[in-house]
Amino acid sequence: MQPKIQTKIRKAIFPVAGMGTRLLPQTKVVPKEMLPILDKPIIQYAVEEAIEAGIEEFIFVSSKGKNAIEDHFDAHPELVSMLQNRSKVKELKILEDISFTPGQVAVVRQPYPLGLGHAVWCARHLIDDDYFAVLLPDDVIMNKISCLAQMSSAFAEKQGAYAAIMEVAPSQIHLYGAIATDLSQDKKSLPIANIVEKPKKEEAPSNLAVIGRYILPKSIFGILEQTPKGAGGEIQLTDALKALIGRVPFYGHVFEGARFDCGTKLGLVEANIAFGLQQDDIKDDLKKILKQYGAF
Ligand code: G1P
C-alpha cells in the first residue's frame, strides 16, 4: 500500500517564550504577545490566522511569567455567566471566537532562552504529523486570505517545507533570515538554494527575507538536536533549515499581504493604524485624527 501523503497542516507551534526586551518597560510584566492591536492581543491575530488556515491544534512554547497567553485562550466560566445574565450577546460572541475544545490548546515550556530553534524543538513530542506549521506572532500579516492559508494551499498542491518570504531593503536584511533562490522563475513558491540567518548586507544571498511563517517536516527535530549555537549565540531555526535543503523540497513562499513587525514600537503603531483604518466603527474618526497630526 502506498504511504498516505499529507495534504493538510493540522498542528501549529507558536513560539512565545521570548522576553520581549526591545519593548521594555512595557514587557516587564505583560508578555509582548499580549500587547494590543486595537482590541485584540497580537497573539490572537496569529491564532486566528492559523484557524483560517485549518489548524486544529495550537501549541504554545512559553516560559515563566507568560501565563496570560494561555489564559487568554482558556475558558472563563465566571465571565461567560455574568455576560449571559446581562444578555450581552455581542460580548459572548467575542469570547466564543477564542474558545477551544479541551486538548486543542497545549503549552510546553522552554526553560532556558536558547533561541528559536530550541523553542521549536521543545514541542517535538506533540508533533506526530509529517508536516506542521510554525507562526512567529511578532510578525502580524494583514490580508484577506491569511498568509498561512496561502502557504497551506501551496502545500496541498506541492508537499514540502515552506518559509514565507518578502523583499526588504538591503539595509534591513541583517535583521532576518535571507534566502538564495532562482529569481528567473516566475512563481509564488521558489525553491530555496541557500538560507543564512541575519547576514551582513555585503554577505546576504539576496534581499529576500524570511518572515515568521513556516511549514516544516517532522525531521527538523532531529536536525535541531544536532544544530550548534549560531547567530547571537542561540540555536537558530534558520541553521536547521539550511540542513533541510536537499533532503525535502523547500520553498520560499512569496505571500500576499502587509506585514508589521510588532516586536518594535514603530511596527506596533503602524499595525494599529493599518487595522484601525479597516474598521468601520473607527476608520473615519481615525482618518480625521491622522489628518490633525499632519499625516495626510
Ligand atoms: C526570526 C528568525 C529570522 C526571521 C525573523 C522574521 O528572527 O530567526 O530568520 O527572518 O524571525 O521575523 P527574530 O526576529 O526572532 O530575531
Side-chain angles (χ1 to χ4, degrees), residues 150-225:
Q150 296 171 42
M151 292 167 74
S152 297
S153 303
F155 175 85
E157 271 180 35
K158 206 161 50 173
Q159 281 70 43
Y162 287 80
I165 53 166
M166 67 179 253
E167 265 187 65
V168 299
S171 62
Q172 299 297 299
I173 198 71
H174 67 282
L175 300 171
Y176 299 92
I179 66 149
T181 183
D182 178 2
L183 276 173
S184 64
Q185 307 194 29
D186 182 21
K187 281 193 215 145
K188 287 218 145 162
S189 299
L190 304 164
I192 293 181
N194 192 14
I195 184 164
V196 188
E197 180 67 4
K198 304 207 166 84
K200 288 189 189 135
K201 189 176 152 192
E202 316 75 69
E203 288 162 15
S206 74
N207 63 336
L208 287 173
V210 172
I211 300 305
R213 301 291 182 275
Y214 308 85
I215 291 175
L216 301 178
K218 197 166 55 176
S219 59
I220 198 76
F221 295 119
I223 298 175
L224 280 167
E225 204 133 325

Side-chain angles (χ1 to χ4, degrees), residues 22 116 136 138-139 175-178 197-198 209-212 214 236-238 259 261:
R22 280 187 297 175
L116 177 60
L136 309 186
D138 276 9
D139 285 324
L175 300 171
Y176 299 92
E197 180 67 4
K198 304 207 166 84
V210 172
I211 300 305
Y214 308 85
Q236 295 292 349
L237 181 61
T238 303
R259 173 260 183 179
D261 181 358

Side-chain angles (χ1 to χ4, degrees), residues 225-247:
E225 204 133 325
Q226 312 288 326
T227 303
K229 288 181 181 170
E234 297 187 338
I235 297 171
Q236 295 292 349
L237 181 61
T238 303
D239 294 341
L241 295 182
K242 195 179 185 128
L244 264 191
I245 298 169
R247 296 197 200 187

